[in-house]
Amino acid sequence: MKLEYSIYKSDLLGCIYVISDGEAIVSVELFEEDWQQLHQQYEMIKSNSPLLENAVQQLDEYFHGKRKAFHLPLKWKGTEFQEQVWKALCEIPYGMTVSYSDIAEKIGRPKAVRAVGQANRANELAIFVPCHRVIGKNGSLTGYAGNRTNVKERLLQLEKQYRTI
């Protein structure tokens, strides 16, 4: 399978790899080792397609406080439960946080808190599907992309900075 990609260079996070199947954004890789793993699995073609240019432009606007919601075709692949979680993540307002148990309640599965955490971890569309806005019930920054909570913290600080602008 061939995938197209473009790179957005963020002062906050470094290189962000945005990947498309030509019709929709299918993945966002924030970490070089994850990008390398994906790159080994698929034939990747660097592209400046209108879709990827639009995605990179929207990321740039987001990182500069000019965009609070994304309007892109996204294609996720997961179970029905995971898709319910990801849809709920897209409804979390910019600059706000909710707990894993809040998401479990929202999707009608109040006892599925751990499963919500696993679905969050399986989100391949970081930033566009804002899993960084989900925190522990006690306010802790847990469970982000293999325990890389510094990224979650940076994204939340960015949104806090621009929330009222």
Side-chain angles (χ1 to χ4, degrees), residues 31 34 100 117-118 121 141-153:
F31 308 102
D34 295 341
Y100 294 95
Q118 291 302 316
R121 178 168 281 151
L141 302 180
T142 61
Y144 190 77
N147 292 324
R148 298 170 178 138
T149 55
N150 62 327
V151 171
K152 180 180 263 194
E153 182 177 21

Side-chain angles (χ1 to χ4, degrees), residues 47-101:
S47 173
N48 291 325
S49 71
L51 172 60
L52 287 169
E53 282 187 6
N54 186 15
V56 166
Q57 177 64 37
Q58 288 190 36
L59 277 175
D60 189 61
E61 292 166 358
Y62 170 81
F63 280 103
H64 288 94
K66 297 175 184 169
R67 176 171 292 278
K68 307 223 180 328
F70 295 99
H71 303 288
L72 295 163
L74 303 175
K75 189 182 291 180
W76 46 49
K77 52 184 181 273
T79 66
E80 184 178 329
F81 176 83
Q82 288 172 325
E83 290 185 13
Q84 287 178 324
V85 170
W86 298 333
K87 286 176 186 173
L89 298 180
C90 291
E91 295 174 12
I92 304 169
Y94 178 91
M96 304 299 288
T97 58
V98 300
S99 70
Y100 294 95
S101 59

Side-chain angles (χ1 to χ4, degrees), residues 12-137:
L12 189 67
L13 301 179
C15 289
I16 298 173
Y17 301 88
V18 183
I19 299 119
S20 162
D21 66 1
E23 296 176 7
I25 304 301
V26 297
S27 183
V28 175
E29 296 299 336
L30 303 177
F31 308 102
E32 185 68 32
E33 58 270 21
D34 295 341
W35 162 247
Q36 291 299 332
Q37 188 176 30
L38 188 67
H39 199 281
Q40 290 172 0
Q41 292 175 339
Y42 298 99
E43 182 179 348
M44 302 293 251
I45 301 163
K46 191 163 186 179
S47 173
N48 291 325
S49 71
L51 172 60
L52 287 169
E53 282 187 6
N54 186 15
V56 166
Q57 177 64 37
Q58 288 190 36
L59 277 175
D60 189 61
E61 292 166 358
Y62 170 81
F63 280 103
H64 288 94
K66 297 175 184 169
R67 176 171 292 278
K68 307 223 180 328
F70 295 99
H71 303 288
L72 295 163
L74 303 175
K75 189 182 291 180
W76 46 49
K77 52 184 181 273
T79 66
E80 184 178 329
F81 176 83
Q82 288 172 325
E83 290 185 13
Q84 287 178 324
V85 170
W86 298 333
K87 286 176 186 173
L89 298 180
C90 291
E91 295 174 12
I92 304 169
Y94 178 91
M96 304 299 288
T97 58
V98 300
S99 70
Y100 294 95
S101 59
D102 291 335
I103 296 294
E105 289 280 342
K106 182 169 182 63
I107 65 169
R109 303 277 302 273
K111 295 183 180 182
V113 177
R114 286 187 182 195
V116 166
Q118 291 302 316
N120 233 33
R121 178 168 281 151
N123 173 23
E124 295 181 349
L125 294 162
I127 303 172
F128 296 136
V129 176
C131 54
H132 62 277
R133 295 179 188 154
V134 184
I135 61 174
K137 194 168 193 161

